[in-house]
PDB file of all heavy atoms in Angstrom:
ATOM      1  N   LEU A  23      33.696 -11.837  -5.073  1.00 96.00           N
ATOM      2  CA  LEU A  23      32.936 -11.620  -3.849  1.00 96.00           C
ATOM      3  C   LEU A  23      33.763 -12.032  -2.635  1.00 96.00           C
ATOM      4  O   LEU A  23      34.622 -12.905  -2.723  1.00 96.00           O
ATOM      5  CB  LEU A  23      31.653 -12.459  -3.856  1.00 96.00           C
ATOM      6  CG  LEU A  23      30.612 -12.166  -4.925  1.00 96.00           C
ATOM      7  CD1 LEU A  23      29.444 -13.133  -4.786  1.00 96.00           C
ATOM      8  CD2 LEU A  23      30.128 -10.739  -4.823  1.00 96.00           C
ATOM      9  N   LYS A  24      33.460 -11.422  -1.491  1.00 97.00           N
ATOM     10  CA  LYS A  24      34.017 -11.898  -0.235  1.00 97.00           C
ATOM     11  C   LYS A  24      33.437 -13.284   0.004  1.00 97.00           C
ATOM     12  O   LYS A  24      32.298 -13.579  -0.405  1.00 97.00           O
ATOM     13  CB  LYS A  24      33.628 -10.965   0.911  1.00 97.00           C
ATOM     14  CG  LYS A  24      34.195  -9.574   0.793  1.00 97.00           C
ATOM     15  CD  LYS A  24      33.697  -8.733   1.953  1.00 97.00           C
ATOM     16  CE  LYS A  24      33.745  -7.274   1.577  1.00 97.00           C
ATOM     17  NZ  LYS A  24      32.998  -6.443   2.512  1.00 97.00           N
ATOM     18  N   ILE A  25      34.180 -14.126   0.680  1.00 97.00           N
ATOM     19  CA  ILE A  25      33.735 -15.507   0.889  1.00 97.00           C
ATOM     20  C   ILE A  25      32.371 -15.580   1.580  1.00 97.00           C
ATOM     21  O   ILE A  25      31.502 -16.337   1.125  1.00 97.00           O
ATOM     22  CB  ILE A  25      34.815 -16.339   1.593  1.00 97.00           C
ATOM     23  CG1 ILE A  25      35.993 -16.548   0.632  1.00 97.00           C
ATOM     24  CG2 ILE A  25      34.260 -17.679   2.085  1.00 97.00           C
ATOM     25  CD1 ILE A  25      37.204 -17.210   1.218  1.00 97.00           C
ATOM     26  N   PRO A  26      32.121 -14.806   2.662  1.00 97.00           N
ATOM     27  CA  PRO A  26      30.776 -14.892   3.259  1.00 97.00           C
ATOM     28  C   PRO A  26      29.659 -14.524   2.276  1.00 97.00           C
ATOM     29  O   PRO A  26      28.630 -15.203   2.229  1.00 97.00           O
ATOM     30  CB  PRO A  26      30.833 -13.907   4.427  1.00 97.00           C
ATOM     31  CG  PRO A  26      32.283 -13.801   4.765  1.00 97.00           C
ATOM     32  CD  PRO A  26      33.007 -13.947   3.456  1.00 97.00           C
ATOM     33  N   ASP A  27      29.860 -13.469   1.490  1.00 98.00           N
ATOM     34  CA  ASP A  27      28.854 -13.082   0.492  1.00 98.00           C
ATOM     35  C   ASP A  27      28.673 -14.166  -0.560  1.00 98.00           C
ATOM     36  O   ASP A  27      27.545 -14.448  -0.987  1.00 98.00           O
ATOM     37  CB  ASP A  27      29.230 -11.765  -0.182  1.00 98.00           C
ATOM     38  CG  ASP A  27      29.037 -10.558   0.720  1.00 98.00           C
ATOM     39  OD1 ASP A  27      28.305 -10.664   1.720  1.00 98.00           O
ATOM     40  OD2 ASP A  27      29.626  -9.501   0.410  1.00 98.00           O
ATOM     41  N   ALA A  28      29.765 -14.772  -0.980  1.00 98.00           N
ATOM     42  CA  ALA A  28      29.687 -15.837  -1.978  1.00 98.00           C
ATOM     43  C   ALA A  28      28.877 -17.021  -1.445  1.00 98.00           C
ATOM     44  O   ALA A  28      28.069 -17.612  -2.170  1.00 98.00           O
ATOM     45  CB  ALA A  28      31.091 -16.283  -2.387  1.00 98.00           C
ATOM     46  N   ILE A  29      29.062 -17.360  -0.180  1.00 98.00           N
ATOM     47  CA  ILE A  29      28.323 -18.488   0.412  1.00 98.00           C
ATOM     48  C   ILE A  29      26.844 -18.144   0.548  1.00 98.00           C
ATOM     49  O   ILE A  29      25.975 -18.974   0.251  1.00 98.00           O
ATOM     50  CB  ILE A  29      28.936 -18.893   1.766  1.00 98.00           C
ATOM     51  CG1 ILE A  29      30.350 -19.456   1.550  1.00 98.00           C
ATOM     52  CG2 ILE A  29      28.052 -19.917   2.485  1.00 98.00           C
ATOM     53  CD1 ILE A  29      31.143 -19.678   2.830  1.00 98.00           C
ATOM     54  N   ILE A  30      26.534 -16.930   0.978  1.00 98.00           N
ATOM     55  CA  ILE A  30      25.132 -16.516   1.106  1.00 98.00           C
ATOM     56  C   ILE A  30      24.447 -16.533  -0.264  1.00 98.00           C
ATOM     57  O   ILE A  30      23.338 -17.054  -0.406  1.00 98.00           O
ATOM     58  CB  ILE A  30      25.032 -15.137   1.788  1.00 98.00           C
ATOM     59  CG1 ILE A  30      25.457 -15.250   3.261  1.00 98.00           C
ATOM     60  CG2 ILE A  30      23.620 -14.565   1.665  1.00 98.00           C
ATOM     61  CD1 ILE A  30      25.680 -13.925   3.956  1.00 98.00           C
ATOM     62  N   CYS A  31      25.102 -15.998  -1.278  1.00 98.00           N
ATOM     63  CA  CYS A  31      24.542 -16.006  -2.641  1.00 98.00           C
ATOM     64  C   CYS A  31      24.394 -17.419  -3.174  1.00 98.00           C
ATOM     65  O   CYS A  31      23.381 -17.759  -3.796  1.00 98.00           O
ATOM     66  CB  CYS A  31      25.416 -15.180  -3.578  1.00 98.00           C
ATOM     67  SG  CYS A  31      25.393 -13.415  -3.235  1.00 98.00           S
ATOM     68  N   ALA A  32      25.387 -18.238  -2.924  1.00 98.00           N
ATOM     69  CA  ALA A  32      25.336 -19.634  -3.370  1.00 98.00           C
ATOM     70  C   ALA A  32      24.183 -20.373  -2.703  1.00 98.00           C
ATOM     71  O   ALA A  32      23.508 -21.194  -3.340  1.00 98.00           O
ATOM     72  CB  ALA A  32      26.657 -20.325  -3.072  1.00 98.00           C
ATOM     73  N   THR A  33      23.931 -20.069  -1.454  1.00 97.00           N
ATOM     74  CA  THR A  33      22.808 -20.691  -0.741  1.00 97.00           C
ATOM     75  C   THR A  33      21.495 -20.359  -1.439  1.00 97.00           C
ATOM     76  O   THR A  33      20.651 -21.236  -1.639  1.00 97.00           O
ATOM     77  CB  THR A  33      22.780 -20.227   0.730  1.00 97.00           C
ATOM     78  OG1 THR A  33      24.022 -20.585   1.358  1.00 97.00           O
ATOM     79  CG2 THR A  33      21.624 -20.866   1.486  1.00 97.00           C
ATOM     80  N   ALA A  34      21.328 -19.109  -1.842  1.00 97.00           N
ATOM     81  CA  ALA A  34      20.114 -18.712  -2.561  1.00 97.00           C
ATOM     82  C   ALA A  34      20.039 -19.396  -3.931  1.00 97.00           C
ATOM     83  O   ALA A  34      18.988 -19.922  -4.307  1.00 97.00           O
ATOM     84  CB  ALA A  34      20.067 -17.195  -2.712  1.00 97.00           C
ATOM     85  N   LEU A  35      21.147 -19.408  -4.660  1.00 97.00           N
ATOM     86  CA  LEU A  35      21.147 -20.030  -5.992  1.00 97.00           C
ATOM     87  C   LEU A  35      20.827 -21.516  -5.936  1.00 97.00           C
ATOM     88  O   LEU A  35      19.987 -22.009  -6.695  1.00 97.00           O
ATOM     89  CB  LEU A  35      22.503 -19.817  -6.673  1.00 97.00           C
ATOM     90  CG  LEU A  35      22.749 -18.439  -7.275  1.00 97.00           C
ATOM     91  CD1 LEU A  35      24.217 -18.273  -7.649  1.00 97.00           C
ATOM     92  CD2 LEU A  35      21.855 -18.223  -8.487  1.00 97.00           C
ATOM     93  N   VAL A  36      21.490 -22.234  -5.057  1.00 96.00           N
ATOM     94  CA  VAL A  36      21.307 -23.688  -4.959  1.00 96.00           C
ATOM     95  C   VAL A  36      19.869 -24.034  -4.556  1.00 96.00           C
ATOM     96  O   VAL A  36      19.333 -25.046  -4.986  1.00 96.00           O
ATOM     97  CB  VAL A  36      22.341 -24.298  -3.974  1.00 96.00           C
ATOM     98  CG1 VAL A  36      21.989 -25.719  -3.600  1.00 96.00           C
ATOM     99  CG2 VAL A  36      23.741 -24.218  -4.576  1.00 96.00           C
ATOM    100  N   ASN A  37      19.247 -23.166  -3.757  1.00 95.00           N
ATOM    101  CA  ASN A  37      17.894 -23.431  -3.284  1.00 95.00           C
ATOM    102  C   ASN A  37      16.826 -22.723  -4.108  1.00 95.00           C
ATOM    103  O   ASN A  37      15.667 -22.668  -3.700  1.00 95.00           O
ATOM    104  CB  ASN A  37      17.783 -23.042  -1.807  1.00 95.00           C
ATOM    105  CG  ASN A  37      18.569 -23.991  -0.952  1.00 95.00           C
ATOM    106  OD1 ASN A  37      18.146 -25.116  -0.738  1.00 95.00           O
ATOM    107  ND2 ASN A  37      19.727 -23.573  -0.490  1.00 95.00           N
ATOM    108  N   ASN A  38      17.234 -22.192  -5.276  1.00 95.00           N
ATOM    109  CA  ASN A  38      16.315 -21.525  -6.194  1.00 95.00           C
ATOM    110  C   ASN A  38      15.470 -20.476  -5.457  1.00 95.00           C
ATOM    111  O   ASN A  38      14.253 -20.431  -5.594  1.00 95.00           O
ATOM    112  CB  ASN A  38      15.423 -22.542  -6.913  1.00 95.00           C
ATOM    113  CG  ASN A  38      14.761 -21.950  -8.132  1.00 95.00           C
ATOM    114  OD1 ASN A  38      15.286 -21.039  -8.759  1.00 95.00           O
ATOM    115  ND2 ASN A  38      13.590 -22.452  -8.464  1.00 95.00           N
ATOM    116  N   ALA A  39      16.145 -19.664  -4.666  1.00 96.00           N
ATOM    117  CA  ALA A  39      15.476 -18.664  -3.841  1.00 96.00           C
ATOM    118  C   ALA A  39      15.898 -17.262  -4.253  1.00 96.00           C
ATOM    119  O   ALA A  39      16.953 -17.065  -4.860  1.00 96.00           O
ATOM    120  CB  ALA A  39      15.809 -18.902  -2.368  1.00 96.00           C
ATOM    121  N   THR A  40      15.085 -16.298  -3.907  1.00 96.00           N
ATOM    122  CA  THR A  40      15.399 -14.894  -4.103  1.00 96.00           C
ATOM    123  C   THR A  40      16.134 -14.403  -2.867  1.00 96.00           C
ATOM    124  O   THR A  40      15.680 -14.628  -1.742  1.00 96.00           O
ATOM    125  CB  THR A  40      14.104 -14.073  -4.300  1.00 96.00           C
ATOM    126  OG1 THR A  40      13.439 -14.557  -5.469  1.00 96.00           O
ATOM    127  CG2 THR A  40      14.396 -12.591  -4.457  1.00 96.00           C
ATOM    128  N   LEU A  41      17.251 -13.740  -3.081  1.00 97.00           N
ATOM    129  CA  LEU A  41      18.027 -13.196  -1.972  1.00 97.00           C
ATOM    130  C   LEU A  41      17.528 -11.802  -1.644  1.00 97.00           C
ATOM    131  O   LEU A  41      17.540 -10.911  -2.482  1.00 97.00           O
ATOM    132  CB  LEU A  41      19.518 -13.153  -2.319  1.00 97.00           C
ATOM    133  CG  LEU A  41      20.434 -12.631  -1.214  1.00 97.00           C
ATOM    134  CD1 LEU A  41      20.443 -13.582  -0.016  1.00 97.00           C
ATOM    135  CD2 LEU A  41      21.843 -12.430  -1.745  1.00 97.00           C
ATOM    136  N   LEU A  42      17.088 -11.610  -0.404  1.00 97.00           N
ATOM    137  CA  LEU A  42      16.719 -10.281   0.087  1.00 97.00           C
ATOM    138  C   LEU A  42      17.996  -9.625   0.570  1.00 97.00           C
ATOM    139  O   LEU A  42      18.648 -10.120   1.501  1.00 97.00           O
ATOM    140  CB  LEU A  42      15.726 -10.391   1.244  1.00 97.00           C
ATOM    141  CG  LEU A  42      14.408 -11.094   0.949  1.00 97.00           C
ATOM    142  CD1 LEU A  42      13.590 -11.251   2.229  1.00 97.00           C
ATOM    143  CD2 LEU A  42      13.614 -10.334  -0.105  1.00 97.00           C
ATOM    144  N   THR A  43      18.388  -8.530  -0.072  1.00 97.00           N
ATOM    145  CA  THR A  43      19.640  -7.862   0.283  1.00 97.00           C
ATOM    146  C   THR A  43      19.584  -6.395  -0.109  1.00 97.00           C
ATOM    147  O   THR A  43      18.868  -6.028  -1.039  1.00 97.00           O
ATOM    148  CB  THR A  43      20.855  -8.529  -0.393  1.00 97.00           C
ATOM    149  OG1 THR A  43      22.055  -7.925   0.092  1.00 97.00           O
ATOM    150  CG2 THR A  43      20.805  -8.427  -1.901  1.00 97.00           C
ATOM    151  N   ASN A  44      20.359  -5.603   0.588  1.00 96.00           N
ATOM    152  CA  ASN A  44      20.546  -4.212   0.178  1.00 96.00           C
ATOM    153  C   ASN A  44      21.994  -3.964  -0.204  1.00 96.00           C
ATOM    154  O   ASN A  44      22.410  -2.814  -0.332  1.00 96.00           O
ATOM    155  CB  ASN A  44      20.097  -3.250   1.286  1.00 96.00           C
ATOM    156  CG  ASN A  44      18.588  -3.114   1.325  1.00 96.00           C
ATOM    157  OD1 ASN A  44      17.885  -3.635   0.471  1.00 96.00           O
ATOM    158  ND2 ASN A  44      18.079  -2.423   2.315  1.00 96.00           N
ATOM    159  N   ASP A  45      22.744  -5.015  -0.391  1.00 96.00           N
ATOM    160  CA  ASP A  45      24.139  -4.930  -0.810  1.00 96.00           C
ATOM    161  C   ASP A  45      24.161  -4.653  -2.316  1.00 96.00           C
ATOM    162  O   ASP A  45      23.731  -5.486  -3.119  1.00 96.00           O
ATOM    163  CB  ASP A  45      24.854  -6.235  -0.486  1.00 96.00           C
ATOM    164  CG  ASP A  45      26.334  -6.206  -0.793  1.00 96.00           C
ATOM    165  OD1 ASP A  45      26.714  -5.810  -1.915  1.00 96.00           O
ATOM    166  OD2 ASP A  45      27.119  -6.614   0.077  1.00 96.00           O
ATOM    167  N   LYS A  46      24.662  -3.489  -2.691  1.00 96.00           N
ATOM    168  CA  LYS A  46      24.639  -3.062  -4.098  1.00 96.00           C
ATOM    169  C   LYS A  46      25.382  -4.026  -5.015  1.00 96.00           C
ATOM    170  O   LYS A  46      24.960  -4.252  -6.148  1.00 96.00           O
ATOM    171  CB  LYS A  46      25.203  -1.651  -4.229  1.00 96.00           C
ATOM    172  CG  LYS A  46      24.288  -0.613  -3.620  1.00 96.00           C
ATOM    173  CD  LYS A  46      24.864   0.773  -3.694  1.00 96.00           C
ATOM    174  CE  LYS A  46      23.926   1.742  -3.000  1.00 96.00           C
ATOM    175  NZ  LYS A  46      24.474   3.062  -2.854  1.00 96.00           N
ATOM    176  N   GLN A  47      26.486  -4.594  -4.557  1.00 96.00           N
ATOM    177  CA  GLN A  47      27.236  -5.538  -5.383  1.00 96.00           C
ATOM    178  C   GLN A  47      26.415  -6.804  -5.643  1.00 96.00           C
ATOM    179  O   GLN A  47      26.372  -7.302  -6.767  1.00 96.00           O
ATOM    180  CB  GLN A  47      28.569  -5.909  -4.715  1.00 96.00           C
ATOM    181  CG  GLN A  47      29.416  -6.840  -5.568  1.00 96.00           C
ATOM    182  CD  GLN A  47      30.706  -7.273  -4.886  1.00 96.00           C
ATOM    183  OE1 GLN A  47      30.865  -7.139  -3.683  1.00 96.00           O
ATOM    184  NE2 GLN A  47      31.628  -7.793  -5.673  1.00 96.00           N
ATOM    185  N   LEU A  48      25.738  -7.297  -4.624  1.00 97.00           N
ATOM    186  CA  LEU A  48      24.959  -8.528  -4.778  1.00 97.00           C
ATOM    187  C   LEU A  48      23.709  -8.303  -5.623  1.00 97.00           C
ATOM    188  O   LEU A  48      23.289  -9.201  -6.356  1.00 97.00           O
ATOM    189  CB  LEU A  48      24.577  -9.089  -3.408  1.00 97.00           C
ATOM    190  CG  LEU A  48      25.723  -9.367  -2.437  1.00 97.00           C
ATOM    191  CD1 LEU A  48      25.215 -10.043  -1.175  1.00 97.00           C
ATOM    192  CD2 LEU A  48      26.832 -10.165  -3.088  1.00 97.00           C
ATOM    193  N   LEU A  49      23.130  -7.110  -5.533  1.00 96.00           N
ATOM    194  CA  LEU A  49      21.935  -6.808  -6.331  1.00 96.00           C
ATOM    195  C   LEU A  49      22.227  -6.836  -7.832  1.00 96.00           C
ATOM    196  O   LEU A  49      21.308  -7.023  -8.633  1.00 96.00           O
ATOM    197  CB  LEU A  49      21.367  -5.442  -5.934  1.00 96.00           C
ATOM    198  CG  LEU A  49      20.678  -5.388  -4.568  1.00 96.00           C
ATOM    199  CD1 LEU A  49      20.434  -3.937  -4.146  1.00 96.00           C
ATOM    200  CD2 LEU A  49      19.375  -6.170  -4.577  1.00 96.00           C
ATOM    201  N   LYS A  50      23.484  -6.671  -8.221  1.00 95.00           N
ATOM    202  CA  LYS A  50      23.867  -6.622  -9.639  1.00 95.00           C
ATOM    203  C   LYS A  50      24.293  -7.977 -10.215  1.00 95.00           C
ATOM    204  O   LYS A  50      24.559  -8.076 -11.410  1.00 95.00           O
ATOM    205  CB  LYS A  50      25.037  -5.653  -9.822  1.00 95.00           C
ATOM    206  CG  LYS A  50      24.714  -4.223  -9.515  1.00 95.00           C
ATOM    207  CD  LYS A  50      25.952  -3.367  -9.681  1.00 95.00           C
ATOM    208  CE  LYS A  50      25.736  -1.959  -9.198  1.00 95.00           C
ATOM    209  NZ  LYS A  50      26.976  -1.173  -9.244  1.00 95.00           N
ATOM    210  N   LEU A  51      24.377  -9.003  -9.381  1.00 95.00           N
ATOM    211  CA  LEU A  51      24.886 -10.287  -9.868  1.00 95.00           C
ATOM    212  C   LEU A  51      23.934 -10.927 -10.879  1.00 95.00           C
ATOM    213  O   LEU A  51      22.736 -11.026 -10.619  1.00 95.00           O
ATOM    214  CB  LEU A  51      25.099 -11.264  -8.708  1.00 95.00           C
ATOM    215  CG  LEU A  51      26.253 -10.971  -7.780  1.00 95.00           C
ATOM    216  CD1 LEU A  51      26.291 -11.997  -6.651  1.00 95.00           C
ATOM    217  CD2 LEU A  51      27.578 -10.971  -8.522  1.00 95.00           C
ATOM    218  N   PRO A  52      24.475 -11.368 -12.010  1.00 93.00           N
ATOM    219  CA  PRO A  52      23.634 -12.078 -12.972  1.00 93.00           C
ATOM    220  C   PRO A  52      23.264 -13.460 -12.422  1.00 93.00           C
ATOM    221  O   PRO A  52      23.978 -14.008 -11.585  1.00 93.00           O
ATOM    222  CB  PRO A  52      24.532 -12.199 -14.217  1.00 93.00           C
ATOM    223  CG  PRO A  52      25.921 -12.057 -13.711  1.00 93.00           C
ATOM    224  CD  PRO A  52      25.857 -11.227 -12.464  1.00 93.00           C
ATOM    225  N   ARG A  53      22.172 -13.991 -12.852  1.00 92.00           N
ATOM    226  CA  ARG A  53      21.653 -15.312 -12.470  1.00 92.00           C
ATOM    227  C   ARG A  53      21.074 -15.364 -11.069  1.00 92.00           C
ATOM    228  O   ARG A  53      20.332 -16.271 -10.747  1.00 92.00           O
ATOM    229  CB  ARG A  53      22.697 -16.436 -12.581  1.00 92.00           C
ATOM    230  CG  ARG A  53      23.218 -16.705 -13.952  1.00 92.00           C
ATOM    231  CD  ARG A  53      24.144 -17.907 -14.014  1.00 92.00           C
ATOM    232  NE  ARG A  53      24.994 -18.042 -12.851  1.00 92.00           N
ATOM    233  CZ  ARG A  53      25.072 -19.145 -12.094  1.00 92.00           C
ATOM    234  NH1 ARG A  53      24.391 -20.208 -12.394  1.00 92.00           N
ATOM    235  NH2 ARG A  53      25.870 -19.203 -11.049  1.00 92.00           N
ATOM    236  N   LEU A  54      21.427 -14.430 -10.206  1.00 95.00           N
ATOM    237  CA  LEU A  54      20.921 -14.437  -8.839  1.00 95.00           C
ATOM    238  C   LEU A  54      19.670 -13.567  -8.764  1.00 95.00           C
ATOM    239  O   LEU A  54      19.704 -12.389  -9.105  1.00 95.00           O
ATOM    240  CB  LEU A  54      21.979 -13.905  -7.863  1.00 95.00           C
ATOM    241  CG  LEU A  54      21.581 -13.851  -6.396  1.00 95.00           C
ATOM    242  CD1 LEU A  54      21.346 -15.263  -5.843  1.00 95.00           C
ATOM    243  CD2 LEU A  54      22.654 -13.150  -5.579  1.00 95.00           C
ATOM    244  N   GLN A  55      18.563 -14.162  -8.333  1.00 96.00           N
ATOM    245  CA  GLN A  55      17.341 -13.391  -8.125  1.00 96.00           C
ATOM    246  C   GLN A  55      17.491 -12.640  -6.808  1.00 96.00           C
ATOM    247  O   GLN A  55      17.779 -13.246  -5.777  1.00 96.00           O
ATOM    248  CB  GLN A  55      16.130 -14.320  -8.063  1.00 96.00           C
ATOM    249  CG  GLN A  55      15.865 -15.064  -9.339  1.00 96.00           C
ATOM    250  CD  GLN A  55      14.706 -16.040  -9.167  1.00 96.00           C
ATOM    251  OE1 GLN A  55      13.780 -15.802  -8.405  1.00 96.00           O
ATOM    252  NE2 GLN A  55      14.770 -17.144  -9.892  1.00 96.00           N
ATOM    253  N   THR A  56      17.321 -11.322  -6.872  1.00 96.00           N
ATOM    254  CA  THR A  56      17.481 -10.496  -5.679  1.00 96.00           C
ATOM    255  C   THR A  56      16.299  -9.546  -5.529  1.00 96.00           C
ATOM    256  O   THR A  56      15.602  -9.243  -6.502  1.00 96.00           O
ATOM    257  CB  THR A  56      18.772  -9.657  -5.730  1.00 96.00           C
ATOM    258  OG1 THR A  56      18.742  -8.824  -6.892  1.00 96.00           O
ATOM    259  CG2 THR A  56      20.009 -10.523  -5.729  1.00 96.00           C
ATOM    260  N   LYS A  57      16.120  -9.089  -4.308  1.00 96.00           N
ATOM    261  CA  LYS A  57      15.114  -8.072  -4.031  1.00 96.00           C
ATOM    262  C   LYS A  57      15.660  -7.199  -2.914  1.00 96.00           C
ATOM    263  O   LYS A  57      16.106  -7.712  -1.886  1.00 96.00           O
ATOM    264  CB  LYS A  57      13.798  -8.718  -3.596  1.00 96.00           C
ATOM    265  CG  LYS A  57      12.711  -7.719  -3.269  1.00 96.00           C
ATOM    266  CD  LYS A  57      11.436  -8.393  -2.803  1.00 96.00           C
ATOM    267  CE  LYS A  57      10.423  -7.303  -2.457  1.00 96.00           C
ATOM    268  NZ  LYS A  57       9.276  -7.837  -1.769  1.00 96.00           N
ATOM    269  N   SER A  58      15.630  -5.887  -3.136  1.00 96.00           N
ATOM    270  CA  SER A  58      16.045  -4.967  -2.077  1.00 96.00           C
ATOM    271  C   SER A  58      14.835  -4.647  -1.205  1.00 96.00           C
ATOM    272  O   SER A  58      13.694  -4.817  -1.620  1.00 96.00           O
ATOM    273  CB  SER A  58      16.660  -3.700  -2.660  1.00 96.00           C
ATOM    274  OG  SER A  58      15.706  -2.996  -3.407  1.00 96.00           O
ATOM    275  N   MET A  59      15.113  -4.184  -0.009  1.00 95.00           N
ATOM    276  CA  MET A  59      14.062  -3.856   0.955  1.00 95.00           C
ATOM    277  C   MET A  59      14.225  -2.398   1.371  1.00 95.00           C
ATOM    278  O   MET A  59      15.336  -1.957   1.665  1.00 95.00           O
ATOM    279  CB  MET A  59      14.171  -4.755   2.194  1.00 95.00           C
ATOM    280  CG  MET A  59      14.131  -6.255   1.907  1.00 95.00           C
ATOM    281  SD  MET A  59      12.486  -6.891   1.593  1.00 95.00           S
ATOM    282  CE  MET A  59      11.757  -6.774   3.204  1.00 95.00           C
ATOM    283  N   ALA A  60      13.120  -1.666   1.393  1.00 94.00           N
ATOM    284  CA  ALA A  60      13.154  -0.253   1.785  1.00 94.00           C
ATOM    285  C   ALA A  60      13.430  -0.138   3.282  1.00 94.00           C
ATOM    286  O   ALA A  60      12.952  -0.933   4.087  1.00 94.00           O
ATOM    287  CB  ALA A  60      11.840   0.428   1.438  1.00 94.00           C
ATOM    288  N   ILE A  61      14.215   0.871   3.617  1.00 93.00           N
ATOM    289  CA  ILE A  61      14.585   1.150   4.998  1.00 93.00           C
ATOM    290  C   ILE A  61      13.797   2.371   5.466  1.00 93.00           C
ATOM    291  O   ILE A  61      13.601   3.324   4.716  1.00 93.00           O
ATOM    292  CB  ILE A  61      16.108   1.436   5.107  1.00 93.00           C
ATOM    293  CG1 ILE A  61      16.914   0.292   4.494  1.00 93.00           C
ATOM    294  CG2 ILE A  61      16.516   1.697   6.546  1.00 93.00           C
ATOM    295  CD1 ILE A  61      16.659  -1.059   5.083  1.00 93.00           C
TER     296      ILE A  61
END
């Protein structure tokens, strides 16, 4: 991951939160809870 993306994902993981994102790479990460949002 790019460093900014890694930090944003890590913030969600450490805080046991779901990451709201439409970034296709981040939506596929294992262990990270994600949710996409319709545009």
Side-chain angles (χ1 to χ4, degrees):
L23 297 178
K24 296 178 204 167
I25 291 173
D27 287 342
I29 294 171
I30 291 168
C31 292
T33 301
L35 282 168
V36 167
N37 290 285
N38 197 29
T40 299
L41 181 66
L42 300 174
T43 186
N44 282 354
D45 184 310
K46 291 178 183 172
Q47 183 183 16
L48 304 185
L49 288 167
K50 295 178 188 175
L51 289 178
R53 297 185 323 125
L54 180 65
Q55 296 176 32
T56 58
K57 179 182 178 191
S58 64
M59 304 282 290
I61 306 303

